[in-house]
Amino acid sequence: MKKAIFPKNIEKGAKIAIISPAGMVTEDQLQKGMALIREKGFEPVVGKYIFTKYNHGYNYAGTEKERISDLNWALNDDEISAIWASRGGYGSQHLLQHLKLSEFKKNPKWYIGYSDNTAIQSYLLKNNFASIHGQTIKTSSFGVSEDSYDLIFDIMQGEKPFYNVEKHLLNKNGNAEGQLVGGNLALIYALLGTPYSFKFKNRILFIEDIGEKFYALDRMLMSLELAGVFRKIKGLIVGGMINMGEEKENKNYDESFDDFAYQIISERLKKYDFPVIFGFPNGHIFNNKPLIIGAAIKMEVAESVTVQFYYNGGA
């Protein structure tokens, strides 16, 4: 397994491109996030089509051609030092067949996002580039933890995370080391069987999701099982599962780590003996602490639960 390539550390004054690869956003939704970028000493630069609206069964941030144009600009412009997605939603898969990395390969840069951005992050890792699975710009307007953003800036400036995670009753004890892959479960599921799917053998998988019916959650897990994913991975980290099932019927609907969703996941994992962490603070939740997709990590699950990012790339 090759070590994933990490971008060089960004320096104060660096330009960070803000692009919309999927759902539409409005200017007011990004003001707080862009102000934060400036406060940290960096310059936000918005894509040409970032605030475009294109309704085609969904409110996209522009046509496929427009969204691809912005993303390819951000990936390959030498003046850009990092790329931060404005939001997720739906639409990133449209771009995968048209992405260009010619200049990006000479000057890799951090790509930051989560949710639908998992598709782009999977593409980048297929090309051996690490990325940051963390808050988008839009979510700053919702009121999320300061750590959600501060830790992203730390990573871009060279720090590697070390997380102590609260113990969970459903955890499966053990230690594992390997390259971290994954992100939003719906996108991991949607990419299975395509050239853009993550590789799973000897990896540690992270999953999170929002707004899924419980049967749909189980269907996605079953697809991973039938594809042999759970036979290949060395460990699993389960993050936020929120707004699951029916709001009127689920008393935990607004909880970050839905009890019944976790029960379904735990039941599907019974026959496997790899370590599992439940309740990791990443996903569509208030306290979304960033992960580095493509980094090598060590997870230790016992009375204390830790996740350590200890060097660049695969184990």
Side-chain angles (χ1 to χ4, degrees), residues 174-211:
N175 300 334
E177 298 182 28
Q179 188 181 58
L180 182 68
V181 300
N184 182 257
L185 177 59
L187 271 296
I188 297 167
Y189 161 77
L191 292 173
L192 283 177
T194 76
Y196 308 102
S197 177
F198 288 107
K199 293 180 180 178
F200 298 101
K201 187 174 182 181
N202 294 326
R203 269 66 169 189
I204 293 173
L205 176 62
F206 169 76
I207 61 173
E208 64 84 28
D209 222 318
I210 182 173

PDB file of all heavy atoms in Angstrom, residues 174-211:
ATOM      1  N   GLY A 174     -10.022  -3.831  20.927  1.00  0.00           N
ATOM      2  CA  GLY A 174      -8.908  -4.289  20.118  1.00  0.00           C
ATOM      3  C   GLY A 174      -8.134  -3.116  19.561  1.00  0.00           C
ATOM      4  O   GLY A 174      -8.531  -1.954  19.720  1.00  0.00           O
ATOM      5  N   ASN A 175      -7.020  -3.416  18.921  1.00  0.00           N
ATOM      6  CA  ASN A 175      -6.186  -2.388  18.299  1.00  0.00           C
ATOM      7  C   ASN A 175      -6.076  -2.667  16.807  1.00  0.00           C
ATOM      8  O   ASN A 175      -6.105  -3.832  16.376  1.00  0.00           O
ATOM      9  CB  ASN A 175      -4.784  -2.377  18.903  1.00  0.00           C
ATOM     10  CG  ASN A 175      -4.809  -2.098  20.390  1.00  0.00           C
ATOM     11  OD1 ASN A 175      -5.735  -1.470  20.907  1.00  0.00           O
ATOM     12  ND2 ASN A 175      -3.790  -2.569  21.099  1.00  0.00           N
ATOM     13  N   ALA A 176      -5.933  -1.610  16.035  1.00  0.00           N
ATOM     14  CA  ALA A 176      -5.738  -1.768  14.593  1.00  0.00           C
ATOM     15  C   ALA A 176      -4.954  -0.587  14.059  1.00  0.00           C
ATOM     16  O   ALA A 176      -5.047   0.524  14.577  1.00  0.00           O
ATOM     17  CB  ALA A 176      -7.080  -1.885  13.874  1.00  0.00           C
ATOM     18  N   GLU A 177      -4.172  -0.860  13.024  1.00  0.00           N
ATOM     19  CA  GLU A 177      -3.434   0.188  12.330  1.00  0.00           C
ATOM     20  C   GLU A 177      -3.676   0.039  10.836  1.00  0.00           C
ATOM     21  O   GLU A 177      -3.716  -1.063  10.307  1.00  0.00           O
ATOM     22  CB  GLU A 177      -1.927   0.087  12.619  1.00  0.00           C
ATOM     23  CG  GLU A 177      -1.570   0.260  14.084  1.00  0.00           C
ATOM     24  CD  GLU A 177      -0.064   0.204  14.313  1.00  0.00           C
ATOM     25  OE1 GLU A 177       0.679   0.565  13.376  1.00  0.00           O
ATOM     26  OE2 GLU A 177       0.345  -0.192  15.415  1.00  0.00           O
ATOM     27  N   GLY A 178      -3.842   1.157  10.171  1.00  0.00           N
ATOM     28  CA  GLY A 178      -4.050   1.106   8.729  1.00  0.00           C
ATOM     29  C   GLY A 178      -4.422   2.466   8.180  1.00  0.00           C
ATOM     30  O   GLY A 178      -4.572   3.441   8.920  1.00  0.00           O
ATOM     31  N   GLN A 179      -4.585   2.512   6.887  1.00  0.00           N
ATOM     32  CA  GLN A 179      -4.962   3.755   6.217  1.00  0.00           C
ATOM     33  C   GLN A 179      -6.454   4.002   6.404  1.00  0.00           C
ATOM     34  O   GLN A 179      -7.272   3.103   6.248  1.00  0.00           O
ATOM     35  CB  GLN A 179      -4.631   3.672   4.729  1.00  0.00           C
ATOM     36  CG  GLN A 179      -4.819   4.980   3.978  1.00  0.00           C
ATOM     37  CD  GLN A 179      -4.502   4.831   2.499  1.00  0.00           C
ATOM     38  OE1 GLN A 179      -5.117   4.017   1.818  1.00  0.00           O
ATOM     39  NE2 GLN A 179      -3.541   5.599   2.022  1.00  0.00           N
ATOM     40  N   LEU A 180      -6.807   5.245   6.746  1.00  0.00           N
ATOM     41  CA  LEU A 180      -8.205   5.597   6.964  1.00  0.00           C
ATOM     42  C   LEU A 180      -8.882   5.913   5.635  1.00  0.00           C
ATOM     43  O   LEU A 180      -8.400   6.727   4.853  1.00  0.00           O
ATOM     44  CB  LEU A 180      -8.309   6.804   7.889  1.00  0.00           C
ATOM     45  CG  LEU A 180      -9.738   7.240   8.239  1.00  0.00           C
ATOM     46  CD1 LEU A 180     -10.422   6.204   9.117  1.00  0.00           C
ATOM     47  CD2 LEU A 180      -9.734   8.598   8.940  1.00  0.00           C
ATOM     48  N   VAL A 181     -10.033   5.255   5.405  1.00  0.00           N
ATOM     49  CA  VAL A 181     -10.857   5.530   4.235  1.00  0.00           C
ATOM     50  C   VAL A 181     -12.290   5.760   4.699  1.00  0.00           C
ATOM     51  O   VAL A 181     -12.651   5.465   5.829  1.00  0.00           O
ATOM     52  CB  VAL A 181     -10.816   4.377   3.209  1.00  0.00           C
ATOM     53  CG1 VAL A 181      -9.397   4.138   2.712  1.00  0.00           C
ATOM     54  CG2 VAL A 181     -11.409   3.091   3.791  1.00  0.00           C
ATOM     55  N   GLY A 182     -13.132   6.285   3.795  1.00  0.00           N
ATOM     56  CA  GLY A 182     -14.546   6.393   4.117  1.00  0.00           C
ATOM     57  C   GLY A 182     -15.047   7.814   4.178  1.00  0.00           C
ATOM     58  O   GLY A 182     -14.469   8.748   3.617  1.00  0.00           O
ATOM     59  N   GLY A 183     -16.162   7.961   4.891  1.00  0.00           N
ATOM     60  CA  GLY A 183     -16.853   9.234   4.990  1.00  0.00           C
ATOM     61  C   GLY A 183     -18.337   8.976   5.109  1.00  0.00           C
ATOM     62  O   GLY A 183     -18.773   8.166   5.939  1.00  0.00           O
ATOM     63  N   ASN A 184     -19.112   9.619   4.255  1.00  0.00           N
ATOM     64  CA  ASN A 184     -20.554   9.448   4.291  1.00  0.00           C
ATOM     65  C   ASN A 184     -20.944   8.073   3.754  1.00  0.00           C
ATOM     66  O   ASN A 184     -20.575   7.704   2.638  1.00  0.00           O
ATOM     67  CB  ASN A 184     -21.226  10.543   3.466  1.00  0.00           C
ATOM     68  CG  ASN A 184     -22.728  10.442   3.503  1.00  0.00           C
ATOM     69  OD1 ASN A 184     -23.338   9.979   2.550  1.00  0.00           O
ATOM     70  ND2 ASN A 184     -23.331  10.862   4.603  1.00  0.00           N
ATOM     71  N   LEU A 185     -21.700   7.315   4.549  1.00  0.00           N
ATOM     72  CA  LEU A 185     -22.036   5.940   4.193  1.00  0.00           C
ATOM     73  C   LEU A 185     -22.801   5.861   2.873  1.00  0.00           C
ATOM     74  O   LEU A 185     -22.560   4.966   2.056  1.00  0.00           O
ATOM     75  CB  LEU A 185     -22.840   5.291   5.318  1.00  0.00           C
ATOM     76  CG  LEU A 185     -23.335   3.863   5.077  1.00  0.00           C
ATOM     77  CD1 LEU A 185     -22.175   2.912   4.806  1.00  0.00           C
ATOM     78  CD2 LEU A 185     -24.169   3.383   6.271  1.00  0.00           C
ATOM     79  N   ALA A 186     -23.734   6.780   2.654  1.00  0.00           N
ATOM     80  CA  ALA A 186     -24.520   6.743   1.420  1.00  0.00           C
ATOM     81  C   ALA A 186     -23.639   6.868   0.185  1.00  0.00           C
ATOM     82  O   ALA A 186     -23.907   6.254  -0.856  1.00  0.00           O
ATOM     83  CB  ALA A 186     -25.580   7.840   1.433  1.00  0.00           C
ATOM     84  N   LEU A 187     -22.569   7.663   0.281  1.00  0.00           N
ATOM     85  CA  LEU A 187     -21.661   7.822  -0.859  1.00  0.00           C
ATOM     86  C   LEU A 187     -20.718   6.633  -0.996  1.00  0.00           C
ATOM     87  O   LEU A 187     -20.397   6.217  -2.108  1.00  0.00           O
ATOM     88  CB  LEU A 187     -20.880   9.131  -0.725  1.00  0.00           C
ATOM     89  CG  LEU A 187     -21.530  10.373  -1.344  1.00  0.00           C
ATOM     90  CD1 LEU A 187     -21.657  10.215  -2.863  1.00  0.00           C
ATOM     91  CD2 LEU A 187     -22.894  10.664  -0.757  1.00  0.00           C
ATOM     92  N   ILE A 188     -20.265   6.089   0.123  1.00  0.00           N
ATOM     93  CA  ILE A 188     -19.457   4.867   0.066  1.00  0.00           C
ATOM     94  C   ILE A 188     -20.250   3.781  -0.642  1.00  0.00           C
ATOM     95  O   ILE A 188     -19.749   3.068  -1.526  1.00  0.00           O
ATOM     96  CB  ILE A 188     -19.065   4.418   1.489  1.00  0.00           C
ATOM     97  CG1 ILE A 188     -18.190   5.477   2.160  1.00  0.00           C
ATOM     98  CG2 ILE A 188     -18.342   3.074   1.452  1.00  0.00           C
ATOM     99  CD1 ILE A 188     -18.026   5.271   3.656  1.00  0.00           C
ATOM    100  N   TYR A 189     -21.516   3.652  -0.269  1.00  0.00           N
ATOM    101  CA  TYR A 189     -22.440   2.680  -0.858  1.00  0.00           C
ATOM    102  C   TYR A 189     -22.658   2.972  -2.342  1.00  0.00           C
ATOM    103  O   TYR A 189     -22.636   2.066  -3.184  1.00  0.00           O
ATOM    104  CB  TYR A 189     -23.751   2.763  -0.064  1.00  0.00           C
ATOM    105  CG  TYR A 189     -24.993   2.207  -0.696  1.00  0.00           C
ATOM    106  CD1 TYR A 189     -25.232   0.836  -0.737  1.00  0.00           C
ATOM    107  CD2 TYR A 189     -25.965   3.063  -1.212  1.00  0.00           C
ATOM    108  CE1 TYR A 189     -26.399   0.336  -1.297  1.00  0.00           C
ATOM    109  CE2 TYR A 189     -27.134   2.572  -1.759  1.00  0.00           C
ATOM    110  CZ  TYR A 189     -27.349   1.211  -1.802  1.00  0.00           C
ATOM    111  OH  TYR A 189     -28.508   0.726  -2.342  1.00  0.00           O
ATOM    112  N   ALA A 190     -22.844   4.246  -2.684  1.00  0.00           N
ATOM    113  CA  ALA A 190     -23.128   4.622  -4.068  1.00  0.00           C
ATOM    114  C   ALA A 190     -21.937   4.372  -4.993  1.00  0.00           C
ATOM    115  O   ALA A 190     -22.118   4.166  -6.199  1.00  0.00           O
ATOM    116  CB  ALA A 190     -23.535   6.092  -4.131  1.00  0.00           C
ATOM    117  N   LEU A 191     -20.730   4.372  -4.450  1.00  0.00           N
ATOM    118  CA  LEU A 191     -19.531   4.192  -5.268  1.00  0.00           C
ATOM    119  C   LEU A 191     -19.092   2.737  -5.381  1.00  0.00           C
ATOM    120  O   LEU A 191     -18.200   2.419  -6.180  1.00  0.00           O
ATOM    121  CB  LEU A 191     -18.381   5.023  -4.692  1.00  0.00           C
ATOM    122  CG  LEU A 191     -18.531   6.540  -4.781  1.00  0.00           C
ATOM    123  CD1 LEU A 191     -17.405   7.232  -4.016  1.00  0.00           C
ATOM    124  CD2 LEU A 191     -18.567   7.018  -6.226  1.00  0.00           C
ATOM    125  N   LEU A 192     -19.701   1.843  -4.595  1.00  0.00           N
ATOM    126  CA  LEU A 192     -19.328   0.428  -4.663  1.00  0.00           C
ATOM    127  C   LEU A 192     -19.465  -0.095  -6.091  1.00  0.00           C
ATOM    128  O   LEU A 192     -20.458   0.167  -6.768  1.00  0.00           O
ATOM    129  CB  LEU A 192     -20.223  -0.410  -3.743  1.00  0.00           C
ATOM    130  CG  LEU A 192     -19.934  -0.379  -2.248  1.00  0.00           C
ATOM    131  CD1 LEU A 192     -20.973  -1.216  -1.504  1.00  0.00           C
ATOM    132  CD2 LEU A 192     -18.529  -0.876  -1.923  1.00  0.00           C
ATOM    133  N   GLY A 193     -18.470  -0.828  -6.544  1.00  0.00           N
ATOM    134  CA  GLY A 193     -18.520  -1.410  -7.878  1.00  0.00           C
ATOM    135  C   GLY A 193     -18.127  -0.468  -8.995  1.00  0.00           C
ATOM    136  O   GLY A 193     -18.119  -0.862 -10.167  1.00  0.00           O
ATOM    137  N   THR A 194     -17.792   0.786  -8.667  1.00  0.00           N
ATOM    138  CA  THR A 194     -17.353   1.749  -9.674  1.00  0.00           C
ATOM    139  C   THR A 194     -15.835   1.904  -9.598  1.00  0.00           C
ATOM    140  O   THR A 194     -15.208   1.525  -8.601  1.00  0.00           O
ATOM    141  CB  THR A 194     -18.003   3.126  -9.455  1.00  0.00           C
ATOM    142  OG1 THR A 194     -17.361   3.781  -8.345  1.00  0.00           O
ATOM    143  CG2 THR A 194     -19.498   3.003  -9.185  1.00  0.00           C
ATOM    144  N   PRO A 195     -15.224   2.496 -10.609  1.00  0.00           N
ATOM    145  CA  PRO A 195     -13.772   2.731 -10.553  1.00  0.00           C
ATOM    146  C   PRO A 195     -13.371   3.736  -9.485  1.00  0.00           C
ATOM    147  O   PRO A 195     -12.176   3.901  -9.218  1.00  0.00           O
ATOM    148  CB  PRO A 195     -13.455   3.292 -11.957  1.00  0.00           C
ATOM    149  CG  PRO A 195     -14.597   2.908 -12.814  1.00  0.00           C
ATOM    150  CD  PRO A 195     -15.789   2.889 -11.914  1.00  0.00           C
ATOM    151  N   TYR A 196     -14.354   4.406  -8.869  1.00  0.00           N
ATOM    152  CA  TYR A 196     -14.064   5.476  -7.917  1.00  0.00           C
ATOM    153  C   TYR A 196     -14.246   5.046  -6.470  1.00  0.00           C
ATOM    154  O   TYR A 196     -14.097   5.853  -5.556  1.00  0.00           O
ATOM    155  CB  TYR A 196     -14.951   6.686  -8.230  1.00  0.00           C
ATOM    156  CG  TYR A 196     -14.861   7.102  -9.673  1.00  0.00           C
ATOM    157  CD1 TYR A 196     -15.872   6.762 -10.578  1.00  0.00           C
ATOM    158  CD2 TYR A 196     -13.744   7.776 -10.149  1.00  0.00           C
ATOM    159  CE1 TYR A 196     -15.774   7.117 -11.921  1.00  0.00           C
ATOM    160  CE2 TYR A 196     -13.641   8.130 -11.486  1.00  0.00           C
ATOM    161  CZ  TYR A 196     -14.654   7.792 -12.369  1.00  0.00           C
ATOM    162  OH  TYR A 196     -14.543   8.133 -13.690  1.00  0.00           O
ATOM    163  N   SER A 197     -14.548   3.791  -6.251  1.00  0.00           N
ATOM    164  CA  SER A 197     -14.754   3.292  -4.892  1.00  0.00           C
ATOM    165  C   SER A 197     -13.437   3.234  -4.129  1.00  0.00           C
ATOM    166  O   SER A 197     -12.372   2.982  -4.702  1.00  0.00           O
ATOM    167  CB  SER A 197     -15.381   1.897  -4.939  1.00  0.00           C
ATOM    168  OG  SER A 197     -15.522   1.365  -3.633  1.00  0.00           O
ATOM    169  N   PHE A 198     -13.528   3.452  -2.820  1.00  0.00           N
ATOM    170  CA  PHE A 198     -12.367   3.245  -1.970  1.00  0.00           C
ATOM    171  C   PHE A 198     -11.881   1.799  -2.069  1.00  0.00           C
ATOM    172  O   PHE A 198     -12.676   0.877  -2.310  1.00  0.00           O
ATOM    173  CB  PHE A 198     -12.720   3.520  -0.497  1.00  0.00           C
ATOM    174  CG  PHE A 198     -12.930   4.953  -0.148  1.00  0.00           C
ATOM    175  CD1 PHE A 198     -14.203   5.439   0.091  1.00  0.00           C
ATOM    176  CD2 PHE A 198     -11.856   5.825  -0.050  1.00  0.00           C
ATOM    177  CE1 PHE A 198     -14.411   6.768   0.434  1.00  0.00           C
ATOM    178  CE2 PHE A 198     -12.053   7.161   0.297  1.00  0.00           C
ATOM    179  CZ  PHE A 198     -13.333   7.628   0.529  1.00  0.00           C
ATOM    180  N   LYS A 199     -10.606   1.594  -1.841  1.00  0.00           N
ATOM    181  CA  LYS A 199     -10.086   0.258  -1.587  1.00  0.00           C
ATOM    182  C   LYS A 199     -10.265  -0.016  -0.092  1.00  0.00           C
ATOM    183  O   LYS A 199     -10.084   0.871   0.731  1.00  0.00           O
ATOM    184  CB  LYS A 199      -8.610   0.170  -1.969  1.00  0.00           C
ATOM    185  CG  LYS A 199      -8.350   0.300  -3.463  1.00  0.00           C
ATOM    186  CD  LYS A 199      -6.857   0.207  -3.763  1.00  0.00           C
ATOM    187  CE  LYS A 199      -6.591   0.339  -5.263  1.00  0.00           C
ATOM    188  NZ  LYS A 199      -5.131   0.287  -5.553  1.00  0.00           N
ATOM    189  N   PHE A 200     -10.601  -1.241   0.251  1.00  0.00           N
ATOM    190  CA  PHE A 200     -10.915  -1.554   1.641  1.00  0.00           C
ATOM    191  C   PHE A 200      -9.931  -2.534   2.300  1.00  0.00           C
ATOM    192  O   PHE A 200      -9.877  -2.598   3.525  1.00  0.00           O
ATOM    193  CB  PHE A 200     -12.332  -2.123   1.739  1.00  0.00           C
ATOM    194  CG  PHE A 200     -13.394  -1.157   1.288  1.00  0.00           C
ATOM    195  CD1 PHE A 200     -13.965  -1.268   0.029  1.00  0.00           C
ATOM    196  CD2 PHE A 200     -13.801  -0.111   2.106  1.00  0.00           C
ATOM    197  CE1 PHE A 200     -14.933  -0.375  -0.397  1.00  0.00           C
ATOM    198  CE2 PHE A 200     -14.767   0.798   1.691  1.00  0.00           C
ATOM    199  CZ  PHE A 200     -15.335   0.661   0.428  1.00  0.00           C
ATOM    200  N   LYS A 201      -9.178  -3.270   1.514  1.00  0.00           N
ATOM    201  CA  LYS A 201      -8.315  -4.297   2.093  1.00  0.00           C
ATOM    202  C   LYS A 201      -7.267  -3.684   3.014  1.00  0.00           C
ATOM    203  O   LYS A 201      -6.515  -2.785   2.619  1.00  0.00           O
ATOM    204  CB  LYS A 201      -7.631  -5.109   1.003  1.00  0.00           C
ATOM    205  CG  LYS A 201      -6.857  -6.302   1.545  1.00  0.00           C
ATOM    206  CD  LYS A 201      -6.299  -7.170   0.433  1.00  0.00           C
ATOM    207  CE  LYS A 201      -5.571  -8.382   0.999  1.00  0.00           C
ATOM    208  NZ  LYS A 201      -5.011  -9.229  -0.078  1.00  0.00           N
ATOM    209  N   ASN A 202      -7.270  -4.145   4.257  1.00  0.00           N
ATOM    210  CA  ASN A 202      -6.331  -3.701   5.297  1.00  0.00           C
ATOM    211  C   ASN A 202      -6.490  -2.228   5.665  1.00  0.00           C
ATOM    212  O   ASN A 202      -5.600  -1.647   6.282  1.00  0.00           O
ATOM    213  CB  ASN A 202      -4.883  -3.979   4.886  1.00  0.00           C
ATOM    214  CG  ASN A 202      -4.599  -5.458   4.791  1.00  0.00           C
ATOM    215  OD1 ASN A 202      -5.152  -6.260   5.546  1.00  0.00           O
ATOM    216  ND2 ASN A 202      -3.757  -5.849   3.847  1.00  0.00           N
ATOM    217  N   ARG A 203      -7.621  -1.644   5.296  1.00  0.00           N
ATOM    218  CA  ARG A 203      -7.896  -0.269   5.693  1.00  0.00           C
ATOM    219  C   ARG A 203      -8.742  -0.218   6.964  1.00  0.00           C
ATOM    220  O   ARG A 203      -9.328  -1.218   7.380  1.00  0.00           O
ATOM    221  CB  ARG A 203      -8.653   0.466   4.585  1.00  0.00           C
ATOM    222  CG  ARG A 203      -7.798   1.201   3.567  1.00  0.00           C
ATOM    223  CD  ARG A 203      -6.967   0.325   2.726  1.00  0.00           C
ATOM    224  NE  ARG A 203      -6.379   1.067   1.604  1.00  0.00           N
ATOM    225  CZ  ARG A 203      -5.732   0.490   0.602  1.00  0.00           C
ATOM    226  NH1 ARG A 203      -5.583  -0.814   0.578  1.00  0.00           N
ATOM    227  NH2 ARG A 203      -5.209   1.215  -0.380  1.00  0.00           N
ATOM    228  N   ILE A 204      -8.798   0.978   7.544  1.00  0.00           N
ATOM    229  CA  ILE A 204      -9.741   1.261   8.627  1.00  0.00           C
ATOM    230  C   ILE A 204     -10.829   2.154   8.028  1.00  0.00           C
ATOM    231  O   ILE A 204     -10.536   3.181   7.425  1.00  0.00           O
ATOM    232  CB  ILE A 204      -9.048   1.941   9.818  1.00  0.00           C
ATOM    233  CG1 ILE A 204      -8.064   0.955  10.464  1.00  0.00           C
ATOM    234  CG2 ILE A 204     -10.074   2.419  10.845  1.00  0.00           C
ATOM    235  CD1 ILE A 204      -7.201   1.548  11.555  1.00  0.00           C
ATOM    236  N   LEU A 205     -12.063   1.731   8.189  1.00  0.00           N
ATOM    237  CA  LEU A 205     -13.192   2.402   7.557  1.00  0.00           C
ATOM    238  C   LEU A 205     -13.905   3.307   8.544  1.00  0.00           C
ATOM    239  O   LEU A 205     -14.180   2.912   9.679  1.00  0.00           O
ATOM    240  CB  LEU A 205     -14.175   1.363   7.005  1.00  0.00           C
ATOM    241  CG  LEU A 205     -15.477   1.888   6.388  1.00  0.00           C
ATOM    242  CD1 LEU A 205     -15.200   2.762   5.172  1.00  0.00           C
ATOM    243  CD2 LEU A 205     -16.388   0.714   6.020  1.00  0.00           C
ATOM    244  N   PHE A 206     -14.220   4.517   8.100  1.00  0.00           N
ATOM    245  CA  PHE A 206     -15.054   5.443   8.869  1.00  0.00           C
ATOM    246  C   PHE A 206     -16.376   5.634   8.146  1.00  0.00           C
ATOM    247  O   PHE A 206     -16.406   5.780   6.916  1.00  0.00           O
ATOM    248  CB  PHE A 206     -14.371   6.807   9.023  1.00  0.00           C
ATOM    249  CG  PHE A 206     -15.286   7.867   9.572  1.00  0.00           C
ATOM    250  CD1 PHE A 206     -15.611   7.885  10.919  1.00  0.00           C
ATOM    251  CD2 PHE A 206     -15.859   8.820   8.742  1.00  0.00           C
ATOM    252  CE1 PHE A 206     -16.488   8.837  11.431  1.00  0.00           C
ATOM    253  CE2 PHE A 206     -16.718   9.781   9.234  1.00  0.00           C
ATOM    254  CZ  PHE A 206     -17.036   9.789  10.582  1.00  0.00           C
ATOM    255  N   ILE A 207     -17.495   5.619   8.913  1.00  0.00           N
ATOM    256  CA  ILE A 207     -18.812   5.872   8.324  1.00  0.00           C
ATOM    257  C   ILE A 207     -19.610   6.854   9.180  1.00  0.00           C
ATOM    258  O   ILE A 207     -19.473   6.886  10.402  1.00  0.00           O
ATOM    259  CB  ILE A 207     -19.630   4.580   8.123  1.00  0.00           C
ATOM    260  CG1 ILE A 207     -19.883   3.864   9.462  1.00  0.00           C
ATOM    261  CG2 ILE A 207     -18.948   3.660   7.128  1.00  0.00           C
ATOM    262  CD1 ILE A 207     -20.839   2.676   9.353  1.00  0.00           C
ATOM    263  N   GLU A 208     -20.436   7.656   8.516  1.00  0.00           N
ATOM    264  CA  GLU A 208     -21.387   8.552   9.186  1.00  0.00           C
ATOM    265  C   GLU A 208     -22.534   8.786   8.228  1.00  0.00           C
ATOM    266  O   GLU A 208     -22.396   8.584   7.019  1.00  0.00           O
ATOM    267  CB  GLU A 208     -20.725   9.871   9.588  1.00  0.00           C
ATOM    268  CG  GLU A 208     -20.219  10.734   8.442  1.00  0.00           C
ATOM    269  CD  GLU A 208     -21.283  11.615   7.807  1.00  0.00           C
ATOM    270  OE1 GLU A 208     -22.261  12.005   8.483  1.00  0.00           O
ATOM    271  OE2 GLU A 208     -21.147  11.923   6.603  1.00  0.00           O
ATOM    272  N   ASP A 209     -23.691   9.227   8.763  1.00  0.00           N
ATOM    273  CA  ASP A 209     -24.799   9.537   7.864  1.00  0.00           C
ATOM    274  C   ASP A 209     -25.861  10.371   8.557  1.00  0.00           C
ATOM    275  O   ASP A 209     -25.818  10.584   9.771  1.00  0.00           O
ATOM    276  CB  ASP A 209     -25.426   8.266   7.288  1.00  0.00           C
ATOM    277  CG  ASP A 209     -25.735   8.432   5.795  1.00  0.00           C
ATOM    278  OD1 ASP A 209     -26.221   9.510   5.407  1.00  0.00           O
ATOM    279  OD2 ASP A 209     -25.465   7.493   5.032  1.00  0.00           O
ATOM    280  N   ILE A 210     -26.807  10.836   7.738  1.00  0.00           N
ATOM    281  CA  ILE A 210     -27.887  11.691   8.218  1.00  0.00           C
ATOM    282  C   ILE A 210     -29.148  11.414   7.396  1.00  0.00           C
ATOM    283  O   ILE A 210     -29.075  11.141   6.191  1.00  0.00           O
ATOM    284  CB  ILE A 210     -27.518  13.191   8.100  1.00  0.00           C
ATOM    285  CG1 ILE A 210     -28.638  14.095   8.654  1.00  0.00           C
ATOM    286  CG2 ILE A 210     -27.190  13.555   6.659  1.00  0.00           C
ATOM    287  CD1 ILE A 210     -28.249  15.575   8.703  1.00  0.00           C
ATOM    288  N   GLY A 211     -30.291  11.433   8.067  1.00  0.00           N
ATOM    289  CA  GLY A 211     -31.563  11.445   7.370  1.00  0.00           C
ATOM    290  C   GLY A 211     -31.945  10.177   6.642  1.00  0.00           C
ATOM    291  O   GLY A 211     -32.743  10.227   5.707  1.00  0.00           O
TER     292      GLY A 211
END
